[in-house]
Amino acid sequence: MSSLSAVVGRSWSGAHTYGAGRTGRRARALAVAAGVLCAAGTALVVPGAAHAQGTCTTIGPTTTCTFAFTGAEDTFTVPAGVTQVDVTATGGRGGSHGLVSGGRGAQVSGTLTGLSGGQVLYVEVGGDAVNSASCAPEAQCTGGFNGGGNSGSGGGGGGASDIRTQPASIPLTTTDSRLVVAAGGGGAGQKGSIDPCPATPGGDAGQPGANGACFGGTGGGPGTATAGGAGGNRFGEDGALGTGGTGGGNSGGGGGAGHYGGGGAGATITGNDGNTSSAGGGGGGSSLVPAGGTGPVPTGAAPSITISYTAPTSPTCATATPTITGTNGNDILTGTPGNDVIFALRGNDIVNGLGGDDLLCGADGNDILTGGEGADRIEGGNGNDILNGSAGNDTPSGGNGNDIINGDAGNDTQAGEAGNDLLDGGTGTNTNDGGAGRNVCARPSTGPGC
């Protein structure tokens, strides 16, 4: 049969290294269950991440979310039960001038601790410097997203990649809530007007920019643990908290962004003969590495941020400690609005978890177990039981006996286990595993043992 009736959560480097009545409910359930039933093996539920951007994949208990450059702020919401995440951040690359490259961004890895489920983290993936309408044709002069310093005829600085606890609309000078920062590289300086006065490389993240050839502008200094990099001579702008300095005279390389930005490089210098020397390269920004983390390491990889976490192991009736315990008789047990662990023990029991994410354990007897609101795990145990998920993403498993399992609202993962069982996922995106026995499954009608 393919359908059923309704059933019942630093340190610095490179600069830095951080119920209804028993009778009515059972009568309704048994009326639907008459005739055909099902059974199943245990199913595994892996909680998913809530995120505004990024691509998440889950392998075993570990979920990894990858955020590529979008030019905008993204968010990641810490899943319930998770208190720490592993992160890797890669900063943006400094812009080139002609064939001469800007500096490389940094890559930083570490663990962010002290988090809580539901907490929103703001994800800023820095950009590479780019050529825009304001740039000389041969120069990627516009600094990368998230703080890269600008130039005009030289390369702009690369943007920093960071994770913070407050949105970017709150200035860093008001509250610097960044937990990890991978700095950007400095931009290349403009070449001189004659040979041999070539364009000047920008500094890698955490490094100074090179001085311009032919007694040209000096390179921008790197960002440090406590200050922006010094601007180069002449006219290079100092780096600042979060931002790289502007390249001097529109020709020096822009500073890379970072925890503190690199300095903008000095401009070209015009000699008495009217020819110009080369401008300096922009300095790279400094990085912030969580305590015990690794980096910063210069890399030519594209900017990105990855966030990985391990789903908490859900308690089971075999491992949990009860907060409410019945007797070996016939009990009516009611939970609280919070998270409960209810052991019904023996007898024919009626259990209602009410609100919260509950664990309901039926043990021996013919029980009616209702999760209520929240993401509930319900284990029928021995006997012919009725398991009702109600609202939320629930995980009911029937155990031994001929059981009736109703997911109701939410995305449910249902297992009949041993016996002839009836499984109805209800509304939502559900999975059914009937297990051994003659079983009937609905919503969906497919699945192992169905």
Side-chain angles (χ1 to χ4, degrees):
M1 298 177 65
S2 61
S3 64
L4 305 172
S5 302
V7 178
V8 224
R10 44 185 149 189
S11 56
W12 304 95
S13 146
H16 304 318
T17 61
Y18 148 83
R22 177 193 298 266
T23 302
R25 183 177 293 275
R26 187 177 293 277
R28 289 194 301 271
L30 294 179
V32 177
V36 200
L37 300 165
C38 30
T42 301
L44 174 65
V45 174
V46 179
H51 52 279
Q53 300 284 343
T55 301
C56 297
T57 58
T58 299
I59 300 177
T62 302
T63 296
T64 300
C65 297
T66 301
F67 296 79
F69 172 71
T70 63
E73 182 173 78
D74 301 322
T75 59
F76 173 85
T77 301
V78 180
V82 173
T83 60
Q84 65 180 44
V85 296
D86 295 324
V87 299
T88 297
T90 302
R93 298 164 286 199
S96 63
H97 177 91
L99 298 178
V100 177
S101 300
R104 296 172 293 177
Q107 186 170 90
V108 168
S109 298
T111 300
L112 306 183
T113 60
L115 306 177
S116 57
Q119 181 178 1
V120 177
L121 300 178
Y122 297 89
V123 179
E124 321 288 343
V125 178
D128 293 335
V130 297
N131 181 274
S132 64
S134 62
C135 300
E138 69 276 18
Q140 297 170 322
C141 80
T142 300
F145 172 78
N146 201 27
N150 293 324
S151 182
S153 299
S161 294
D162 72 73
I163 300 173
R164 57 186 76 185
T165 60
Q166 294 184 329
S169 58
I170 298 177
L172 296 177
T173 51
T174 300
T175 303
D176 187 356
S177 67
R178 293 174 295 175
L179 304 176
V180 59
V181 182
Q190 179 184 337
K191 68 179 182 179
S193 60
I194 60 172
D195 292 331
C197 302
T200 309
D204 289 341
Q207 299 298 316
N211 294 331
C214 306
F215 305 100
T218 60
T224 72
T226 58
N233 185 30
R234 300 178 307 169
F235 311 128
E237 183 182 76
D238 293 344
L241 181 67
T243 60
T246 299
N250 284 325
S251 58
H259 183 256
Y260 282 91
T268 58
I269 298 174
T270 303
N272 293 332
D273 59 1
N275 291 315
T276 59
S277 62
S278 304
S286 62
S287 295
L288 171 61
V289 182
T294 60
V297 177
T299 177
S304 66
I305 290 177
T306 61
I307 301 176
S308 300
Y309 64 91
T310 300
T313 302
S314 299
T316 66
C317 295
T319 62
T321 299
T323 60
I324 299 174
T325 305
T327 69
N328 288 327
N330 300 332
D331 302 308
I332 298 177
L333 304 174
T334 302
T336 72
N339 301 335
D340 304 305
V341 178
I342 304 179
F343 281 22
L345 301 184
R346 296 179 181 177
N348 301 326
D349 306 306
I350 299 176
V351 180
N352 190 333
L354 296 183
D357 300 336
D358 304 313
L359 172 61
L360 308 184
C361 305
D364 295 337
N366 302 324
D367 306 309
I368 300 176
L369 309 175
T370 301
E373 296 182 358
D376 305 308
R377 181 178 178 89
I378 308 173
E379 299 184 20
N382 297 321
N384 302 327
D385 305 307
I386 300 173
L387 281 56
N388 302 303
S390 298
N393 301 332
D394 304 309
T395 310
S397 56
N400 296 322
N402 302 329
D403 306 307
I404 301 171
I405 302 177
N406 306 285
D408 292 335
N411 303 326
D412 305 310
T413 302
Q414 305 193 134
E417 300 187 319
N420 301 325
D421 306 308
L422 183 153
L423 294 78
D424 183 354
T427 59
T429 303
N430 311 301
T431 61
N432 284 329
D433 185 341
R438 300 180 58 189
N439 310 301
V440 174
C441 303
R443 295 185 290 183
S445 59
T446 57
C450 292

